[in-house]
Amino acid sequence: MDGEIKVGFIGVSCSGMPKRFATCMKENFKNLNLTAVWDEDEQKSSEFRKEIGVAKQAASVMEVAADSHLIIMDVKSSDTVNYACEVLKQGVPLYVSKPLANNLDNALKIIECARTTGTPLLSSSPMRYDSNIQETLKLIQTGELGNVHLAFIALHHTVDFYLTTAGEWHVSLYGGGGPLFYLGVHGVDILDELVGLEDIEQLYSSVSTIAHGNHHIFREEGLADTHAVNISYKNGMIATLQLGNGVDYCYYGGQITGRKSHHIFETQNNYVLTIEKLIEMVESKKSPLALERMEQVARILDMIGRSGKEKSVLKNEK
């Protein structure tokens, strides 16, 4: 597409993600015009429009879709299956914030809607496209590390808005899985980008205090929790995802170990590179990430969700 790309926002009060995307767009992409915003909380929508400089406060999801070439969606995950399918049926390329939906069935409905309508869809962690992840991927692909047999990915967060009482729905989306179901999409996306998800055989979860309903920790200790998931692959490779919440530091990174060498990396949400992928999505009219890969991420998140209660989960279990 030549010239201006109109960007609309559906949902701006669930997390800080829409604001970060919008700010990055305004600062770095002159061809992106922020045209419309809608949120079920009209006051929040109005505040976002005035602060960011969005042209119009829309009265409905469909009004945003009618005035956009691209939509950024960040609504409660229980709502995405309805709103996302409305947008996709209008043929408007769509980015959905994490996680894609509140359960596997709804995630698959959204992906199938994108498939049947042919509308481009992306639901991905911005960490997937970070330059440090891409550098690590290159080391794996060139064989510099040798055959990879261990992968460790860690995400440690201080307490932030969407892990406070106002955002409690994020943590209890699945009734299990704890914080890894919500924030774990970062780690799962990184794992998919580096070594893939197709050959996962089994997943074993440590006990997440939040997942098991000990909300006195949620209330009294600021979400202090650590949750780890070990993943075994058919070829013998082992991957570990670890998330700490309520800690006094932030760290995103990990280590990939091959038979020849290992590589330690740090990473971050890279909004510039993700927005470049979204522009590519609008111009090419194709999803920058295969729908099958988004489906794999949804299935692994489902395993994480179930493992919060069941501990060990085989991939072919339902």
Side-chain angles (χ1 to χ4, degrees):
M1 175 181 291
D2 294 326
E4 175 187 87
I5 295 176
K6 297 179 180 180
V7 182
F9 292 84
I10 295 175
V12 294
S13 62
C14 287
S15 79
M17 188 279 290
K19 183 177 179 180
R20 289 191 286 271
F21 265 100
T23 301
C24 184
M25 288 176 176
K26 297 278 282 189
E27 292 177 350
N28 299 282
F29 298 90
K30 303 303 181 187
N31 63 324
L32 300 183
N33 183 9
L34 311 188
T35 54
V37 57
W38 175 89
D39 191 277
E40 63 180 5
D41 185 327
E42 291 185 13
Q43 182 177 343
K44 294 291 186 182
S45 178
S46 177
E47 291 171 357
F48 183 89
R49 183 184 66 81
K50 293 174 182 177
E51 180 182 357
I52 300 299
V54 181
K56 179 173 68 175
Q57 183 172 341
S60 67
V61 169
M62 297 306 291
E63 188 176 338
V64 177
D67 202 27
S68 303
H69 299 128
L70 167 68
I71 285 178
I72 307 292
M73 179 179 290
D74 186 41
V75 297
K76 288 185 178 181
S77 294
S78 55
D79 294 335
T80 55
V81 66
N82 296 319
Y83 293 145
C85 288
E86 283 187 53
V87 170
L88 292 168
K89 287 174 182 177
Q90 296 304 308
V92 183
L94 175 66
Y95 177 88
V96 181
S97 181
K98 64 181 186 298
L100 177 58
N102 61 327
N103 59 52
L104 178 60
D105 285 346
N106 283 340
L108 295 181
K109 286 177 183 176
I110 294 171
I111 292 169
E112 184 58 27
C113 187
R115 184 176 286 118
T116 56
T117 61
T119 305
L121 169 72
L122 180 62
S123 181
S124 173
S125 163
M127 291 185 191
R128 180 190 284 268
Y129 301 112
D130 183 57
S131 54
N132 288 334
I133 297 300
Q134 295 306 309
E135 176 190 349
T136 305
L137 177 60
K138 189 175 292 185
L139 292 175
I140 295 171
Q141 290 176 334
T142 59
E144 187 169 332
L145 301 182
N147 292 332
V148 174
H149 63 102
L150 294 172
F152 173 73
I153 298 168
L155 301 165
H156 288 272
H157 283 259
T158 54
V159 176
D160 54 26
F161 169 77
Y162 16 93
L163 295 176
T164 60
T165 303
E168 183 174 341
W169 63 270
H170 282 306
V171 179
S172 57
L173 280 173
Y174 207 92
L180 258 180
F181 180 74
Y182 172 57
L183 292 168
V185 67
H186 289 304
V188 176
D189 266 17
I190 291 170
L191 191 65
D192 177 52
E193 190 72 6
L194 296 179
V195 296
L197 302 174
E198 295 83 1
D199 295 325
I200 287 176
E201 191 169 53
Q202 190 166 12
L203 182 151
Y204 182 89
S205 177
S206 71
V207 173
S208 166
T209 51
I210 297 170
H212 287 265
N214 295 334
H215 282 233
H216 66 280
I217 290 175
F218 189 99
R219 306 295 184 196
E220 298 170 14
E221 299 183 24
L223 273 176
D225 187 33
T226 300
H227 188 183
V229 168
N230 286 326
I231 299 170
S232 63
Y233 282 72
K234 292 177 183 177
N235 65 359
M237 191 183 82
I238 299 293
T240 297
L241 305 181
Q242 183 188 92
L243 180 69
N245 280 323
V247 294
D248 59 0
Y249 65 97
C250 286
Y251 173 79
Y252 314 123
Q255 177 173 314
I256 300 294
T257 302
R259 299 295 178 183
K260 293 181 181 178
S261 183
H262 70 273
H263 176 69
I264 298 171
F265 62 89
E266 292 187 5
T267 187
Q268 60 184 344
N269 285 317
N270 196 315
Y271 292 102
V272 170
L273 292 179
T274 304
I275 292 167
E276 288 177 355
K277 289 290 181 181
L278 294 177
I279 293 172
E280 173 191 317
M281 178 169 77
V282 173
E283 294 178 338
S284 68
K285 299 182 180 179
K286 294 180 180 178
S287 303
L289 186 66
L291 295 177
E292 291 75 16
R293 293 180 72 181
M294 282 183 264
E295 184 175 318
Q296 286 278 10
V297 170
R299 291 188 183 282
I300 300 306
L301 286 174
D302 176 66
M303 289 174 68
I304 288 172
R306 289 186 286 128
S307 74
K309 292 184 286 189
E310 302 168 24
K311 289 194 177 180
S312 180
V313 180
L314 294 172
K315 191 175 182 183
N316 60 3
E317 288 180 345
K318 301 228 176 156

